[in-house]
Amino acid sequence: MDITFLKSYLHKKGYRITNQRMAVLNAIIQAENKHLNASEIHALVKKQYPGFGLATVYKNLRVLEQEGLVNKLDLSDNTRHYEINLSEPHCHLLCLKCGHIEELGDAFYKSLYDLLWHESRFTIEKRSLVFYGYCSTCRLQL
Amino acid sequence: MDITFLKSYLHKKGYRITNQRMAVLNAIIQAENKHLNASEIHALVKKQYPGFGLATVYKNLRVLEQEGLVNKLDLSDNTRHYEINLSEPHCHLLCLKCGHIEELGDAFYKSLYDLLWHESRFTIEKRSLVFYGYCSTCRLQL
DNA sequence: TTATTTGCAAAGGCTTTGCAGCAAA
DNA sequence: TTTGCTGCAAAGCCTTTGCAAATAA
């Protein structure tokens, strides 16, 4: 993933490009669809920067979320999870057995939005969609 | 709403029917689609039972949720909200301007589940769907 | 140089736990 | 009578805030 663009975006907005900030962003990018929470990010970045504080994670997550670079997710475990914002909205299917998180994007969303507009005249700005169930593999082993 | 059935259901499961427990359940039922959080429920019930403790709210909410009588919702404000479980799943449209919460049920869900099954072979057990946007009234005033 | 960011520690907010007394069955 | 429930206070978590020292620009 191209972090150069994200860097210059933050820079233009007046934020400073610090090692810690970039490390947080990188951790989220690298973890791809693992949806890390603050303390997981902290643990990862701490390997590289031993003195790295948890508060710094939170401060940066707020910046990155405000600027739309990452999304915050509620996965019902009382901690907030983060993923890189690929700007195409998607929803999450969380398997209750193996914990695997599947993502649905594009095609699903187009249909969903049609449906939603048809049912109610609501303009969607943000969304938080999590389905809990069993993935195709686990379903067979129940 | 018929609380007699819910009472006997809890009783059969070995729970005791206490005034406080019923008051919590009633508060959630009465508040219909207001999606109260723990402290709002506490405030309501306290009017009737002055000594009523917040911890008791939480203990009862856990019981009621475990037994499937109420649903817990994450509305991204860092507190958990509760609604009576009418057993037909529905999703929430939260207006970012007026705070109004609209609910979509039945018809929407049938279509949504078709869509979902079509995209992935996932069996849905639970879901947490919140859309944030502008309701038809507020949309015109932006 | 100067304004932002860091890192520590402390504080905050919501939720859970422990326990003695109370109450439902 | 027995076992679960209540209510208080204390503890637990996750997250935020305050502030002096460090650092990007």
Side-chain angles (χ1 to χ4, degrees):
Chain A
M1 173 145 211
D2 189 20
I3 201 170
T4 317
F5 169 72
L6 302 176
K7 260 177 160 169
S8 70
Y9 182 78
L10 284 172
H11 186 252
K12 259 181 233 148
K13 288 274 195 164
Y15 295 103
R16 297 198 171 163
I17 308 303
T18 65
N19 293 331
Q20 291 90 331
R21 180 161 289 158
M22 289 306 107
V24 168
L25 187 52
N26 259 316
I28 299 173
I29 292 173
Q30 238 84 81
E32 188 76 40
N33 46 13
K34 286 216 195 92
H35 311 87
L36 306 177
N37 63 28
S39 79
E40 291 167 334
I41 293 169
H42 182 226
L44 274 176
V45 177
K46 208 166 180 177
K47 287 183 193 165
Q48 199 179 346
Y49 299 97
F52 185 59
L54 182 55
T56 303
V57 178
Y58 281 105
K59 285 168 185 165
N60 278 304
L61 287 174
R62 186 195 280 179
V63 168
L64 296 175
E65 202 213 348
Q66 274 177 351
E67 295 308 321
L69 272 53
V70 306
N71 294 325
K72 183 155 67 169
L73 308 173
D74 275 323
L75 300 179
S76 299
D77 68 343
N78 295 354
T79 71
R80 255 50 61 192
H81 295 252
Y82 296 84
E83 63 175 11
I84 191 74
N85 182 2
L86 300 166
S87 82
E88 63 169 43
H90 56 279
C91 76
H92 299 90
L93 301 171
L94 197 157
C95 181
L96 296 167
K97 190 147 184 276
C98 69
H100 172 70
I101 298 180
E102 195 173 325
E103 298 185 347
L104 285 182
D106 245 25
F108 173 74
Y109 258 87
K110 283 210 178 64
S111 318
L112 180 59
Y113 279 30
D114 284 351
L115 239 163
L116 217 52
W117 180 256
H118 183 258
E119 288 287 322
S120 103
R121 300 286 166 202
F122 213 91
T123 317
I124 308 302
E125 293 288 322
K126 275 179 45 177
R127 65 216 70 66
S128 162
L129 311 184
V130 189
F131 293 93
Y132 305 87
Y134 300 100
C135 67
S136 46
T137 312
C138 290
R139 178 160 42 89
L140 303 173
Q141 299 165 14
L142 284 180
Chain B
M1 171 144 211
D2 188 18
I3 201 170
T4 317
F5 167 73
L6 302 176
K7 259 178 161 170
S8 69
Y9 181 80
L10 285 172
H11 186 251
K12 262 182 231 147
K13 287 275 196 165
Y15 294 103
R16 295 196 173 165
I17 309 305
T18 65
N19 291 332
Q20 289 90 333
R21 179 161 290 158
M22 290 306 106
V24 168
L25 187 51
N26 259 317
I28 298 172
I29 292 172
Q30 239 82 83
E32 187 77 41
N33 46 14
K34 286 218 196 89
H35 310 88
L36 306 177
N37 63 28
S39 80
E40 290 167 335
I41 294 168
H42 182 226
L44 275 176
V45 177
K46 207 166 181 177
K47 288 183 192 163
Q48 197 179 349
Y49 300 97
F52 185 59
L54 182 55
T56 303
V57 179
Y58 281 105
K59 286 168 185 165
N60 279 304
L61 287 174
R62 186 196 280 180
V63 168
L64 297 173
E65 201 212 348
Q66 274 177 352
E67 295 308 321
L69 272 54
V70 305
N71 294 326
K72 182 156 66 169
L73 308 174
D74 274 324
L75 300 179
S76 300
D77 69 342
N78 294 354
T79 71
R80 254 50 62 191
H81 295 252
Y82 296 84
E83 64 176 9
I84 192 72
N85 182 2
L86 301 166
S87 81
E88 63 168 44
H90 56 278
C91 76
H92 299 91
L93 300 172
L94 197 157
C95 181
L96 295 166
K97 190 149 185 275
C98 68
H100 172 70
I101 298 180
E102 194 173 326
E103 297 184 348
L104 286 183
D106 246 25
F108 173 72
Y109 258 88
K110 283 207 181 64
S111 319
L112 180 59
Y113 278 31
D114 284 350
L115 238 163
L116 218 50
W117 180 256
H118 183 259
E119 287 287 323
S120 101
R121 301 288 167 197
F122 213 91
T123 318
I124 308 301
E125 293 287 321
K126 275 177 47 179
R127 65 215 71 67
S128 162
L129 310 185
V130 188
F131 293 93
Y132 304 87
Y134 299 100
C135 66
S136 46
T137 312
C138 289
R139 178 159 42 88
L140 302 174
Q141 298 164 15
L142 284 180

